[in-house]
Amino acid sequence: MSALKIYGVPRSRAFRTLWLAKELGLDYENVLTDFANNGTRSPEYLAINPNGHVPTIDDNGFILWESMAINLYLAKKYGAGTLYPTKLENEAQAWQWSFWGMTEIERPVLTAMFNRAVYPEDKRDAAAADDAERQLQAPLKVLDGAVTGTPYLLGGEFTVADLNVASILSWARPARIDLSGVPKMADWLQRCALRPAAKAARELQR
Ligand SMILES: N[C@@H](CCC(=O)N[C@@H](CS)C(=O)NCC(=O)O)C(=O)O
């Protein structure tokens, strides 16, 4: 039995943590708690995450929820000096990009994806999707600028900052977000997505 349990099906935000676990080479158990069959609402699951959302981790008895907090915690614990920056300022930049991803881009990417790819055709709101795509233009330009002249957000090496933001933007393709105006950002996203650990995590979604 693994000391680390990751709750959540791979097609959910648990993907972020599964990708990170693969980057770090962690031994983990993926508990396939699924919102589609109300697994996130069972009394057992609500006892560890009263929000009824995934992902949650149980790291040898330590329970943590919120995908970005989980990833920052695991990266710091198991990847300090590689995936997790050791310099205080760089650590703060990893937080900056993680919070930025959640507050500036996650909602509009999801809105576009749901209304272009997930909801049944007759429930899709094309105007809401277009509006969400418009909202993304400014933050995606910010990201494009941040990866112009540097391969990754914190410099030469891929870190948890890249993983956290790129995992949100893994929805950009099903959301059919036009990235032609942000070519550096599109290249960066591709670099992140082609990492063996990212591919291995996507395999879990099949
Ligand atoms: N801010 C949370 C959001 C978690 C979240 O909403 N997860 C979705 C799946 S991607 C979920 O559990 N939905 C099921 C539900 O609300 O019942 C995080 O990033 O961990």
Side-chain angles (χ1 to χ4, degrees):
M1 210 175 77
S2 306
L4 175 66
K5 289 195 183 75
I6 300 172
Y7 292 82
V9 287
R11 69 175 192 286
S12 72
R13 286 174 178 86
F15 169 76
R16 300 168 185 179
T17 301
L18 293 165
W19 178 3
L20 185 84
K22 295 214 171 276
E23 290 282 354
L24 293 168
L26 301 182
D27 176 31
Y28 68 87
E29 178 192 347
N30 184 200
V31 182
L32 298 173
T33 309
D34 195 350
F35 45 86
N37 62 14
N38 276 333
T40 47
R41 293 290 178 278
S42 73
E44 299 77 33
Y45 188 70
L46 289 173
I48 62 161
N49 185 343
N51 300 289
H53 296 326
V54 288
T56 301
I57 58 164
D58 177 342
D59 185 24
N60 213 7
F62 173 61
I63 306 289
L64 191 68
W65 34 260
E66 276 300 326
S67 56
M68 296 288 143
I70 291 171
N71 278 11
L72 292 167
Y73 162 80
L74 288 176
K76 185 166 187 171
K77 181 168 178 182
Y78 298 107
T82 56
L83 272 196
Y84 197 84
T86 44
K87 209 171 144 214
L88 178 64
E89 288 78 5
N90 292 339
E91 180 181 39
Q93 286 173 320
W95 303 338
Q96 167 193 283
W97 283 112
S98 303
F99 297 158
W100 179 88
M102 295 297 272
T103 55
E104 302 286 332
I105 59 171
E106 189 182 62
R107 178 50 49 194
V109 185
L110 265 180
T111 300
M113 183 176 75
F114 275 107
N115 285 294
R116 289 179 178 165
V118 178
Y119 292 149
E121 302 253 354
D122 60 333
K123 298 270 184 307
R124 294 183 190 175
D125 181 341
D130 292 349
D131 187 48
E133 182 160 8
R134 268 191 298 277
Q135 284 173 42
L136 280 168
Q137 279 177 14
L140 291 188
K141 285 266 182 223
V142 171
L143 187 52
D144 194 62
V147 291
T148 296
T150 175
Y152 295 108
L153 288 170
L154 303 196
E157 303 299 329
F158 176 86
T159 69
V160 65
D162 299 288
L163 190 153
N164 281 350
V165 176
S167 62
I168 296 172
L169 285 169
S170 66
W171 293 326
R173 188 193 287 248
R176 299 202 306 276
I177 305 296
D178 178 9
L179 301 182
S180 58
V182 283
K184 299 289 181 197
M185 184 253 134
D187 290 349
W188 161 86
L189 186 58
Q190 176 86 335
R191 265 196 299 287
C192 296
L194 288 176
R195 295 178 66 80
K199 286 187 186 173
R202 280 199 301 280
E203 279 300 313
L204 299 173
Q205 297 179 319
R206 288 176 207 282

